[in-house]
């Protein structure tokens, strides 16, 4: 067999179930190009060898469709000098190669950068046994050698050429070539950054400035001067003394207060002449901007403080990482790199858990000037919660750089990146029983990794722990707790929930009145209060789902709530697919309009200053200003009654409902089938959803799904930690 190109480069879009047209075309290509006449007769109609049919069925069950399956077969046969014979398709070697490639492809599509050989071997073994092979014929080490001798020039040989292989190994981790190169590049960039020489500032100087910021001209928190704990002060000091530092902690642990203090101290020390506030999403960037601006505006006599006043304009210009790096969506390229570097001296990046490996590489490259007349970015501070959902793209950079190795003795290592972990919560007052309950349940979810006992969700381990309140009906919901209603989440139940949710939140008289008014933007000040009320009201509550699709997805829930609004408010859709009062969310970045994935707005009747007629337009807060857009300008828009947990990252709500996916029944065994659900429900998703709420969380679904999610840690394989460990040992 021979290979013409890296399988990792084939069809980079997400794995989808292929229809029969696509399947037929792909299978026909395989038959016509690679099968001999005898084999064509066997597979031209329904049938591949039985073992391959069984293998194909297994991959279908784990969301790898027919098109991917035959693409892999084509790939393994490309460049073969003679046609492939039926007995070759039946061989264990072909099954191993096919299974190995597809399993690694699935891991990559799920966010991993590699796979441990032991895990890959176990999965291949299981698939081969289910395909009819006897375990006595297995030779696992041969399997690895087969995979490793497939080289990028299409040659499969015992004699390795000097060319890079399609699959390579490092420390028992198997990579597709491009992910290995990217991981090596990331490690190199991290090392270069950590070895940068910074101007030394004496500690007493830093402490004097910190004292001035905290005591002389303090930010006010709940009407009182902001007080930083020792761990928070340590984070400020690390940000000054290290070219790269990380501050991690759960919700309410004071990450924003630390970020604001870092910004102010750096400015007073002359280290932030060109700072930038950055986040992976537009919503997270806006939230960071608002928090910093509100903090600065709370300072007494701010207009007399030159340094702090100057920071206001930088805070108002908070941006996404893609915007910072000059992303060109049509070319999938970035403007900034080491030879066209960023001209900032300080980067403060929020929601670091959402940064994938590729984006981290781009960021470090753009921060590392190789121009003799321009210094690199001197300091980068990353804030985030490593317990939240990892990035959509490949890698889990924040987790790899913040979590302990879990090793001892000779295998232990010291993380080279300075990390300060914030633990104490400052958000909830002692009297805030609801907030403490949410954080208590979130803490129990986190501990499932150490003690996987999901029953603790309902039975608190100690008097200080909080447990989920079980409901018998929706009417029992108290909206100041974490509550759970055990139900199937079928259509009728979700419709009943939709009606209950609508009655609870969308019958606010003032909201309805303001949503149906006409607005003139010629005098923005005259409508500022109304718009603030509308935007702030919609930020109070949200429905969260695991996916966009399926009966329990965001699209289905949005339709239920939307139909109720249309019915009860007699909204007119004659001239538009949208209506006044409809909350919407942007689902893809629009750089031309400066709208970003996750930005939220509302449709309102807006007065056209020329025609003096009302026109339905979407109203957004963009970079601190209110902007309006016609519906036809926004191609990637959907209602925002419900959003996915992924899209909720960087947002906070008073009240939220989490809709769990349905738990299907396996007809063969008559028991719940958790395999298909596990890839979308995880401990990280549950934790992220819980920590978006400040007052109440209502969870709807089967108890088995909730418990499975609590103990199902998302498997995302990466070798970055292994590289760090090996570097420290070398």
């Amino acid at each position: 067999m021979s290979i013409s190109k890296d399988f990792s480069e084939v069809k980079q879009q997400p794995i989808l179930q292929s229809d029969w047209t696509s399947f037929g075309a792909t299978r026909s290509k395989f038959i016509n190009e690679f099968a001999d006449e005898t084999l064509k007769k066997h597979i031209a109609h329904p049938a591949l060898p039985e073992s391959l049919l069984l293998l194909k069925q297994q991959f279908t069950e784990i969301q790898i469709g027919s098109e991917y399956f035959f693409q892999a077969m084509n790939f393994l046969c490309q460049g073969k000098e003679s046609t492939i014979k039926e007995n070759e398709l039946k061989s264990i070697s072909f099954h191993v190669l096919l299974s190995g490639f597809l399993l690694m492809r699935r891991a990559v599509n799920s966010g991993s950068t590699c796979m441990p050989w032991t895990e890959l071997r176990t999965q291949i073994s299981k698939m081969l046994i289910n395909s009819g092979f006897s375990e006595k014929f297995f030779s696992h080490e041969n399997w690895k050698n087969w995979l490793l001798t497939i080289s990028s020039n299409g040659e499969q040989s015992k004699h390795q050429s000097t060319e890079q292989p399609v699959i390579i190994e490092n420390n028992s981790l198997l990579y597709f070539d491009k992910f290995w190169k990217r991981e090596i590049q990331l490690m190199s960039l991290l090392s270069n950054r950590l070895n940068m020489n910074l101007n030394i500032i004496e500690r007493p100087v830093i402490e004097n400035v910190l004292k001035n910021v905290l005591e002389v001209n303090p930010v006010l928190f709940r009407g009182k001067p902001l007080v930083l704990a020792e761990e928070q002060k340590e984070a400020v000091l690390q940000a000054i003394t290290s070219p790269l530092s990380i501050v991690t902690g759960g919700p309410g642990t004071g990450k924003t207060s630390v970020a604001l203090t870092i910004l102010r101290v750096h400015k007073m020390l002359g280290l932030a002449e060109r700072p930038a506030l950055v986040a992976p999403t537009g919503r997270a960037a806006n939230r960071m901007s608002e928090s910093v601006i509100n903090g600065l505006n709370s300072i007494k006599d701010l207009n007399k403080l030159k340094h702090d006043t100057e920071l206001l304009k930088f805070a108002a210009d908070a941006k996404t990482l893609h915007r910072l790096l000059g992303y060109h969506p049509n070319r999938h390229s970035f403007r900034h790199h080491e030879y066209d570097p960023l001209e900032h001296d300080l980067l403060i990046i929020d929601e670091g858990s959402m940064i994938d490996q590729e984006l981290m590489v781009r960021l470090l490259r753009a921060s590392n000037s190789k121009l003799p007349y321009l210094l690199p970015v001197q300091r980068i501070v990353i804030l985030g919660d490593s317990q939240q959902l990892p990035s959509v793209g490949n890698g889990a950079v924040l987790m790899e750089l913040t979590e302990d190795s879990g090793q001892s003795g000779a295998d232990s290592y010291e993380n080279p990146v300075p990390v300060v972990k914030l633990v104490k919560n400052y958000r909830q007052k002692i009297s805030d029983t609801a907030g403490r309950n949410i954080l208590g349940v979130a803490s129990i979810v986190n501990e499932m990794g150490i003690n996987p006992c999901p029953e603790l969700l309902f039975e608190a381990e100690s008097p200080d722990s909080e447990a989920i309140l079980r409901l018998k009906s929706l009417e029992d919901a108290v909206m100041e707790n974490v509550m759970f209603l055990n139900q199937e989440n079928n259509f009728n139940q979700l419709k009943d929930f939709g009606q209950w949710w609508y009655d609870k939140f969308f019958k606010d008289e003032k909201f309805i009145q303001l949503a149906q008014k006409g607005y003139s933007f010629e005098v923005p000040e005259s409508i500022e209060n109304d718009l603030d009320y509308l935007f702030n009201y919609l930020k109070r509550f949200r429905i969260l789902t695991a996916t966009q699709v399926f009966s329990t997805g965001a699209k289905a829930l949005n339709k239920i709530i939307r139909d109720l609004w249309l019915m009860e408010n007699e909204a007119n859709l004659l001239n538009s697919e949208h209506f006044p009062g409809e909350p919407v969310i942007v689902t893809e970045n629009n750089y031309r309009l400066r709208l970003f994935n996750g930005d939220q707005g509302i449709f309102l009747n807006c007065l056209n200053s020329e025609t003096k007629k009302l026109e339905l337009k979407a109203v957004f807060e963009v970079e601190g200003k209110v902007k309006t857009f016609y519906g036809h300008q926004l191609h990637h828009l959907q209602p925002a009654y419900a959003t996915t947990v992924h899209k909720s990252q960087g947002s906070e709500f008073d009240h939220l409902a989490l809709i769990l996916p349905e738990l299907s029944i396996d007809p063969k065994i008559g028991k719940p089938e958790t395999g298909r659900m596990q890839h979308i429900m995880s401990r990280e998703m549950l934790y992220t959803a819980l920590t978006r709420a400040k007052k109440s969380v209502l969870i709807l679904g089967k108890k088995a799904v909730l418990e499975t999610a609590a103990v199902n840690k998302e498997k995302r394989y990466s070798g970055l930690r292994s590289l760090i460990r090996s570097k420290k040992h070398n």
Side-chain angles (χ1 to χ4, degrees):
M1 297 178 196
S2 61
I3 316 298
S4 65
K5 58 180 177 178
D6 191 335
F7 182 69
S8 64
E9 300 288 352
V10 178
K11 296 289 261 187
Q12 290 296 312
Q13 69 264 33
I15 295 173
L16 299 173
Q17 293 280 3
S18 303
D19 59 29
W20 281 104
T21 303
S22 179
F23 160 74
T26 309
R27 185 173 75 165
S28 296
K29 181 179 178 181
F30 172 75
I31 294 170
N32 293 330
E33 292 189 11
F34 306 114
D36 62 12
E37 292 303 318
T38 304
L39 183 59
K40 286 180 183 180
K41 292 178 182 179
H42 283 85
I43 65 176
H45 299 292
L48 289 168
E50 185 179 359
S51 58
L52 276 182
L53 287 176
L54 291 170
L55 187 64
K56 180 177 174 295
Q57 179 58 35
Q58 293 178 74
F59 277 108
T60 300
E61 291 173 357
I62 57 174
Q63 284 73 53
I64 294 184
S66 301
E67 185 175 359
Y68 262 82
F69 188 84
F70 280 99
Q71 282 174 355
M73 291 183 68
N74 292 347
F75 169 69
L76 290 173
C77 297
Q78 286 174 11
K80 193 174 184 298
E81 294 180 0
S82 60
T83 54
I84 188 169
K85 295 180 172 53
E86 184 180 6
N87 65 336
E88 293 181 75
L89 287 186
K90 293 181 178 180
S91 69
I92 191 171
S93 61
F94 189 83
H95 285 70
V96 168
L97 288 170
L98 185 59
S99 300
F101 269 85
L102 286 173
L103 287 168
M104 287 189 64
R105 181 70 258 166
R106 179 174 181 263
V108 166
N109 280 6
S110 299
S112 297
T113 63
C114 59
M115 276 198 77
W117 165 240
T118 52
E119 177 67 20
L120 184 61
R121 181 180 64 193
T122 300
Q123 292 188 28
I124 293 174
S125 297
K126 181 180 178 181
M127 288 196 154
L128 262 60
I129 292 171
N130 292 337
S131 299
F133 289 93
S134 174
E135 194 170 356
K136 67 181 181 180
F137 297 113
F138 292 2
S139 179
H140 294 130
E141 290 309 311
N142 281 350
W143 295 359
K144 187 199 293 186
N145 292 334
W146 293 339
L147 290 168
L148 293 176
T149 53
I150 301 174
S151 62
S152 60
N153 66 343
E155 303 290 330
Q156 184 181 2
S157 169
K158 295 180 181 179
H159 306 287
Q160 255 326 335
S161 70
T162 57
E163 299 187 22
Q164 287 291 337
V166 174
I167 298 176
I168 60 178
E169 181 187 17
N170 180 68
N171 198 28
S172 295
L173 299 174
L174 297 186
Y175 294 80
F176 286 124
D177 182 57
K178 77 169 189 175
F179 293 103
W180 165 247
K181 289 177 178 175
R182 185 186 295 160
E183 205 153 272
I184 290 293
Q185 186 182 19
L186 176 56
M187 187 67 224
S188 175
L189 289 166
L190 283 170
S191 297
N192 291 340
R193 170 144 291 274
L194 293 169
N195 289 326
M196 281 178 52
N197 292 320
L198 298 178
N199 292 330
I200 298 175
I201 300 177
E202 299 294 333
R203 185 154 182 145
V205 176
I206 300 174
E207 290 177 346
N208 284 336
V209 171
L210 183 58
K211 184 177 181 180
N212 180 283
V213 164
L214 294 177
E215 299 179 14
V216 181
N217 298 298
V219 168
L220 301 182
F221 180 65
R222 294 173 179 169
K224 298 180 180 179
L226 175 67
V227 178
L228 295 189
E230 289 304 313
E231 61 182 8
Q232 293 174 306
K233 292 179 181 178
E234 181 61 27
V236 176
L237 293 172
Q238 289 281 19
I240 296 170
T241 58
S242 176
L244 175 65
S245 60
I246 296 175
V247 183
T248 182
T253 53
K255 295 190 297 293
T256 302
S257 297
V258 169
L260 177 55
T261 306
I262 288 173
L263 189 61
R264 296 184 68 200
V265 170
H266 276 70
K267 186 66 176 175
M268 289 193 69
L269 288 170
L271 305 176
E273 297 304 314
R274 299 179 308 280
L277 302 182
V278 195
T281 68
R283 177 66 194 126
N286 289 339
R287 184 178 158 203
M288 189 183 190
S289 174
E290 291 169 3
S291 298
V292 171
I293 289 173
N294 290 338
L296 290 171
N297 283 329
S298 73
I299 300 173
K300 187 178 179 181
D301 297 326
L302 175 65
N303 60 334
K304 298 179 182 178
L305 304 175
K306 179 176 178 287
H307 293 306
D308 290 321
T309 305
E310 288 179 355
L311 289 177
L312 283 172
K313 66 178 182 180
F314 293 109
D317 192 35
K319 59 194 72 174
T320 66
L321 272 168
H322 283 78
R323 182 183 157 207
L324 174 79
L325 298 173
Y327 179 64
H328 297 286
N330 296 333
R331 301 198 297 266
H332 188 60
S333 63
F334 294 80
R335 172 190 168 189
H336 292 294
H337 45 75
E338 51 269 81
Y339 296 102
D340 187 3
L342 297 171
E343 298 184 21
H344 297 283
D345 47 14
L346 171 67
L347 299 180
I348 299 179
I349 306 170
D350 200 10
E351 298 295 340
S353 65
M354 302 171 70
I355 303 175
D356 61 40
Q357 199 173 86
E358 181 182 10
L359 197 55
M360 191 67 177
V361 166
R362 299 285 187 178
L363 172 67
L364 293 177
R365 284 184 60 193
S367 304
N368 181 31
S369 173
K370 289 197 174 179
L371 301 178
Y373 54 85
L374 188 63
L375 289 174
V377 176
Q378 295 294 284
R379 293 166 178 83
I380 300 175
V381 183
I382 300 176
L383 304 100
D385 185 353
S386 60
Q387 303 298 330
Q388 288 189 32
L389 282 165
S391 59
V392 175
N394 297 88
V397 178
L398 187 72
M399 184 186 71
E400 294 275 20
L401 294 178
T402 57
E403 289 193 351
D404 297 331
S405 69
Q407 304 289 333
S408 59
D411 290 330
S412 66
Y413 71 97
E414 180 184 353
N415 194 336
V417 182
V419 178
V420 176
K421 296 184 179 182
L422 306 180
V423 178
K424 184 179 179 180
N425 184 275
Y426 301 91
R427 179 175 296 167
Q428 273 72 40
K429 301 177 183 178
I430 296 178
S431 59
D432 184 6
T433 56
R436 287 190 290 110
N437 174 256
I438 294 170
L439 293 176
V441 174
S443 178
I444 293 173
V445 170
N446 268 343
E447 292 169 2
M448 291 294 166
I450 304 170
N451 181 23
C453 185
E455 193 58 35
L456 290 179
L457 290 169
F458 303 100
E459 299 175 4
E461 194 174 22
S462 70
D464 297 328
S465 300
E466 301 288 351
I468 298 176
L469 176 67
R470 299 198 211 200
L471 303 179
K472 293 182 179 179
S473 68
L474 285 169
E475 285 67 32
D476 296 331
V478 294
M479 309 310 286
E480 57 181 18
N481 216 315
V482 182
M483 302 158 289
F484 175 71
L485 182 60
N486 190 23
Q487 62 177 32
E488 297 286 344
N489 276 352
N490 56 43
F491 177 76
N492 288 331
Q493 290 171 332
L494 292 179
K495 193 173 179 181
D496 290 343
F497 159 73
Q499 184 68 65
W500 179 86
W501 188 262
Y502 180 87
D503 292 341
K504 182 77 70 176
F505 294 110
F506 284 98
K507 287 192 173 181
D508 180 82
E509 292 185 5
K510 185 174 181 179
F511 176 80
I512 295 173
Q513 179 189 1
L514 295 179
Q516 297 180 345
K517 280 179 60 176
Y519 292 90
S520 172
F521 287 83
E522 291 183 344
V523 187
E525 295 79 11
S526 64
I527 59 174
E528 185 177 343
N529 291 336
D530 288 356
L531 294 181
D532 283 346
Y533 183 89
L534 289 169
F535 281 113
N536 290 329
Y537 186 80
L538 291 172
K539 293 175 184 177
R540 287 178 50 198
F541 52 90
R542 189 61 49 87
I543 302 170
L544 301 184
T545 65
T547 66
Q548 285 281 3
V549 296
F550 307 127
S551 60
T552 55
K555 290 183 179 179
L557 271 297
N558 277 323
K559 186 177 187 310
I560 290 173
I561 306 294
R562 192 175 190 270
D563 288 348
L564 286 168
W565 177 275
L566 291 173
M567 181 178 65
E568 298 207 10
N569 292 280
E570 300 180 349
N572 186 355
L573 291 182
L574 293 178
N575 299 318
S576 175
E577 61 179 309
H578 304 287
F579 55 85
E582 180 183 18
V584 289
I585 186 170
V586 178
T587 58
E588 286 190 19
N589 293 332
N590 189 323
Y591 294 89
R592 183 176 61 85
L593 300 179
R594 294 191 176 276
L595 289 177
F596 300 96
N597 190 358
D599 285 349
Q600 298 172 39
I602 183 172
F603 272 95
L604 297 171
N605 286 317
C606 303
L607 183 68
N608 187 314
S609 58
E610 295 181 0
T611 64
K612 304 301 180 183
K613 294 182 179 180
L614 291 176
E615 299 175 333
L616 190 62
K617 300 177 79 173
V619 182
F620 289 85
E621 291 179 310
V622 179
E623 299 174 350
K625 299 179 181 179
V626 174
K627 293 188 178 182
T628 63
F629 306 92
Y630 291 105
H632 65 80
Q633 293 177 278
L634 308 172
H635 302 295
H636 302 285
L637 206 64
Q638 69 179 40
Y641 305 105
T643 58
T644 64
V645 178
H646 273 97
K647 285 196 180 298
S648 75
Q649 291 189 98
S651 299
E652 285 185 338
F653 311 98
D654 287 346
H655 310 283
L656 65 83
L658 175 62
I659 309 299
L660 302 178
E662 288 184 288
L663 185 62
S664 58
I665 303 297
D666 189 333
K668 294 181 181 178
I669 58 176
K671 294 181 179 180
E673 180 190 27
T674 60
R676 296 188 181 187
M677 181 274 296
Q678 282 183 339
H679 79 282
I680 58 173
M681 284 301 299
S682 64
R683 185 162 74 240
E684 291 83 358
M685 179 170 288
L686 186 56
Y687 173 84
T688 302
L690 286 166
T691 54
R692 297 310 91 203
K694 293 190 287 186
K695 294 183 179 180
S696 76
V697 180
L698 172 61
I699 305 172
L700 288 85
K702 292 298 291 183
K703 184 170 178 283
V705 176
L706 179 64
E707 292 180 337
T708 300
V711 299
N712 178 35
K713 182 172 176 61
E714 182 167 321
K715 288 186 179 180
R716 181 165 292 198
Y717 301 111
S718 168
L720 183 59
R721 186 182 300 166
S722 173
L723 289 173
I724 294 172
R725 184 185 296 115
S726 64
K727 185 173 181 64
K728 293 299 291 185
H729 284 169
N730 293 334

